[in-house]
Amino acid sequence: MKERKVPTWVSAPLILGAFGLLVWLERRRPLRRAVEPKFRREARNLAVAAAGAAALRVTEKPLADALTSLVERRRWGLLKLVRLPAWLEVALAVVLLDYTLYLWHVLTHRVPFLWRFHVVHHVDLDLDASTALRFHFAELVLSVPWRAAQILLIGVSPPALSAWQSLLFLSIMFHHSNVRLPLEIERRLNAFVVTPRMHGIHHSTVKEETNSNWSSGLTVWDWLHGTLRLDVPQDAIVIGVPAYRDPSEVGLVSMLALPCGEERPTWHLNGTGPEPAREIPPGHSQQLTA
Ligand SMILES: [Zn+2]
């Protein structure tokens, strides 16, 4: 396969345009009420995102470029065992990358050392398109060996990697966004892809709800693993992590320093209080609700 990546002149305006559209829609049709002033949060999240993008540029990009070319030249990895039409190989690579990202996301929650970093993404007191970009740079660097393994085992070519990266960007901005879609439309979309109401449940302060809905693209992975939760009423969700509820504690500097400090018990309110819990009344809808 020729090294035909998604050109930057296509992916950059697409991603920036989608971000702008979502930010506009969030102001017109918000799904959840904001806790913090929007402009301050967005500026903070974009600053965290800029550090993350710089870290990926110097770590992930050179390695991924080298490994995808190697996969292509030497025909390494699962998808290179047989000769597939180029479009099919890209499509299968995107699906397998999406699945293995599900597994990585589970690890970032289940492995205490990784959670130290992933928690920075979750302590945001609101959830919107800017949260999608807010990952601690060290979490992104820690994901580089996983990415290398994904490329080598799956057999990811340069075009497949760039197609997946562009789709992933669009997907995470969409499902983190605070856009109120018409419920029927969202339910239909959610049969295939992760949507804002579904991912909102993953950002809940209730432990069992955060430990669900780990998919980043296709909904099917949560469904297959029995980790899909749709029955939580949206207006009952409090976004964030119980241990960090004070807006003065989630500023830019404290966010970047969070993994280095003493860790608070995540699920206890302000670190010492009770664990938030929820009883879903029997007979409540198993589908996404308003
Ligand atoms: Zn998460």
Side-chain angles (χ1 to χ4, degrees):
M1 197 188 297
K2 285 205 208 89
E3 296 211 356
R4 261 185 283 146
K5 296 186 190 180
V6 179
T8 314
W9 63 265
V10 174
S11 59
L14 195 68
I15 288 165
L16 282 174
F19 185 74
L21 178 67
L22 289 168
V23 169
W24 181 71
L25 285 171
E26 282 171 344
R27 280 157 171 82
R28 288 201 55 150
R29 290 181 57 90
L31 176 61
R32 296 164 286 259
R33 224 176 306 120
V35 174
E36 279 198 277
K38 193 151 167 88
F39 183 74
R40 183 165 10 127
R41 264 191 64 254
E42 281 174 341
R44 182 197 303 142
N45 287 354
L46 291 179
V48 176
L56 286 180
R57 184 99 201 156
V58 294
T59 56
E60 186 192 58
K61 191 172 185 318
L63 187 65
D65 284 351
L67 292 180
T68 49
S69 308
L70 207 60
V71 158
E72 199 58 23
R73 274 203 314 278
R74 307 241 175 111
R75 298 199 59 79
W76 281 354
L78 188 67
L79 294 175
K80 297 294 187 187
L81 292 175
V82 279
R83 292 228 173 245
L84 296 166
W87 66 268
L88 182 60
E89 193 195 304
V90 169
L92 288 174
V94 167
V95 170
L96 291 173
L97 283 164
D98 190 45
Y99 177 56
T100 43
L101 186 67
Y102 168 92
L103 297 178
W104 171 253
H105 190 190
V106 174
L107 288 178
T108 61
H109 281 256
R110 297 284 194 209
V111 178
F113 177 71
L114 295 177
W115 174 245
R116 263 183 175 271
F117 298 91
H118 188 59
V119 77
V120 174
H121 173 66
H122 276 268
V123 294
D124 205 348
L125 299 172
D126 293 299
L127 188 62
D128 63 18
S130 74
T131 316
L133 314 174
R134 167 208 166 106
F135 287 92
H136 195 286
F137 64 86
E139 177 184 353
L140 298 174
V141 173
L142 285 166
S143 74
V144 172
W146 188 266
R147 190 80 66 251
Q150 285 177 297
I151 293 169
L152 293 173
L153 292 175
I154 298 170
V156 180
S157 61
L161 185 71
S162 74
W164 173 66
Q165 284 171 328
S166 301
L167 288 170
L168 178 66
F169 237 100
L170 294 174
S171 174
I172 61 171
M173 289 191 310
F174 169 63
H175 66 239
H176 283 90
S177 76
N178 189 30
V179 175
R180 181 178 292 277
L181 295 172
L183 188 57
E184 265 315 304
I185 292 179
E186 179 159 349
R187 282 178 176 168
R188 277 176 207 188
L189 267 178
N190 189 239
F192 303 99
V193 294
V194 182
T195 58
R197 286 178 174 94
M198 173 182 166
H199 200 68
I201 296 171
H202 176 69
H203 278 260
S204 156
T205 51
V206 178
K207 185 181 179 182
E208 294 72 35
E209 292 167 10
T210 301
N211 287 338
S212 71
N213 299 356
W214 275 299
S215 298
S216 298
L218 300 171
T219 310
V220 68
W221 314 126
D222 275 305
W223 182 73
L224 285 174
H225 284 271
T227 53
L228 185 64
R229 269 300 290 275
L230 302 176
D231 62 347
V232 186
Q234 286 295 311
D235 55 6
I237 297 174
V238 176
I239 297 290
V241 168
Y244 303 91
R245 298 302 307 153
D246 184 347
S248 68
E249 290 182 329
V250 296
L252 179 61
V253 177
S254 16
M255 276 312 86
L256 291 175
L258 194 63
C260 310
E262 201 191 322
E263 214 179 356
R264 288 187 196 163
T266 304
W267 304 106
H268 292 270
L269 273 175
N270 299 314
T272 51
E275 282 193 32
R278 188 186 334 273
E279 286 284 341
I280 305 281
H284 180 81
S285 170
Q286 294 299 306
Q287 291 184 299
L288 287 175
T289 49

